[in-house]
Amino acid sequence: MSRCRVLKPVVRPPRYGLARVLSKRGLCSRSEAERRVREGRVRVAGRIVRDPEFPVALDASNIVLDGDAARATAHQYLVLNKPRGLVTTARDEHGRDTVYRCFDGADLGWIAPVGRLDKASEGLLLFTSDPAWAARVTDPEQGPQKTYHVQVDGLPDDALLEALVLGVNDAGERLQAASARLLRQGERNAWLEIVLDEGRNRQIRRLLAAHDLGVLRLVRVAIGDLALGDLAKGAWRPLAAGEISALAHPSDPATG
């Protein structure tokens, strides 16, 4: 008696766009990967591919970038104490100094800032070559809260601190602090601690300006449980494994 043979279906590994794979391997940003692919700098199985969405397996071993095998690199996770006056970008079209000046000579490979601090702001700024981790940290629903110490050109009272939490509408956006408290004050200015659970462009400056307060200094002192501590201005260090995990999975997620 003969039996028919049941052929099991061939399970193929999932495929992703070529630019996405290069980015996931920590070789460059997604947008930079797309640019390099379109410029003809990437080969798959020996032939040039110019389509950033060309499907390849995540662990494909036949991808070559600029003549070298496009192998995954060990991801970097760093914290920098950003000095005032530096722009948070890789290249500035106006020729201004960028935060990458702080990494000169370190040979770190490709890293990108996780979120931003504007030119006039200082303090804790994260960098990584891991786009998935960066997305978790900056997620408006699940990412960690951010704490700032802000020197203002006035003397806020309790009513104003409450107003910062209640928030305002500005240019079609709702701006509000998760919390705001007075740290100390002098005769003409004061230091506030402001906590945000979402990230909007120049949010603190715009929120304070709506209440006729100007910002003299703005320093990010913590992201989640990660504090700036005694890290010197312009200095950086790798994050510890526990810090990396805690930032991506905060115990008290922000609710934006």
Side-chain angles (χ1 to χ4, degrees):
M1 180 178 178
S2 62
R3 297 181 180 180
C4 62
R5 186 178 177 186
V6 178
L7 298 177
K8 295 182 179 180
V10 177
V11 179
R12 298 183 180 278
R15 292 174 173 256
Y16 304 90
L18 179 57
R20 183 180 177 188
V21 170
L22 293 174
S23 175
K24 280 182 172 292
R25 293 185 181 187
L27 298 170
C28 53
S29 68
R30 180 78 170 268
S31 59
E32 177 67 12
E34 291 176 355
R35 184 178 69 83
R36 294 184 186 187
V37 171
R38 291 193 178 99
E39 289 176 350
R41 296 164 61 181
V42 182
R43 292 177 179 268
V44 179
R47 69 183 183 91
I48 293 175
V49 175
R50 296 180 183 271
D51 178 8
E53 297 302 320
F54 182 82
V56 293
L58 198 59
D59 61 352
S61 59
N62 58 357
I63 304 174
V64 173
L65 171 63
D66 291 335
D68 296 318
R71 298 186 180 91
T73 61
H75 283 309
Q76 303 270 7
Y77 306 88
L78 311 172
V79 56
L80 167 73
N81 185 351
K82 175 192 174 295
R84 188 173 183 169
L86 299 182
V87 183
T88 307
T89 185
R91 289 180 296 274
D92 182 67
E93 59 184 8
H94 303 295
R96 295 172 295 182
D97 282 339
T98 78
V99 288
Y100 287 89
R101 188 185 73 181
C102 300
F103 302 110
D104 283 351
D107 193 25
L108 294 169
W110 173 75
I111 53 172
V114 181
R116 291 184 179 275
L117 286 174
D118 63 35
K119 181 182 178 182
S121 300
E122 315 164 48
L124 197 157
L125 184 60
L126 300 172
F127 288 79
T128 189
S129 59
D130 184 347
W133 181 81
R136 288 194 295 271
V137 174
T138 56
D139 185 277
E141 298 294 330
Q142 300 297 323
Q145 293 184 328
K146 299 171 181 65
T147 305
Y148 301 81
H149 287 179
V150 188
Q151 186 183 29
V152 297
D153 61 357
L155 302 176
D157 56 18
D158 289 342
L160 189 140
L161 295 176
E162 291 176 6
L164 296 179
V165 176
L166 289 174
V168 298
N169 292 315
D170 181 74
E173 291 184 305
R174 185 68 181 172
L175 307 178
Q176 60 189 129
S179 67
R181 68 184 182 95
L182 178 67
L183 292 174
R184 60 186 182 273
Q185 67 179 33
E187 294 183 359
R188 298 183 179 180
N189 57 65
W191 279 91
L192 306 179
E193 180 178 89
I194 297 178
V195 177
L196 300 181
D197 56 11
E198 60 181 355
R200 298 183 185 276
N201 184 43
R202 298 175 64 84
Q203 181 169 348
I204 291 177
R205 297 179 189 276
R206 293 162 59 196
L207 179 58
L208 290 169
H211 296 284
D212 298 319
L213 281 176
V215 173
L216 301 176
R217 285 186 66 190
L218 191 155
V219 185
R220 183 154 64 195
V221 297
I223 298 179
D225 292 331
L226 177 68
L228 186 60
D230 58 1
L231 187 64
K233 195 173 299 295
W236 60 273
R237 67 171 178 84
L239 292 174
E243 294 172 328
I244 296 168
S245 177
L247 285 166
H249 305 286
S251 56
D252 183 19
T255 56

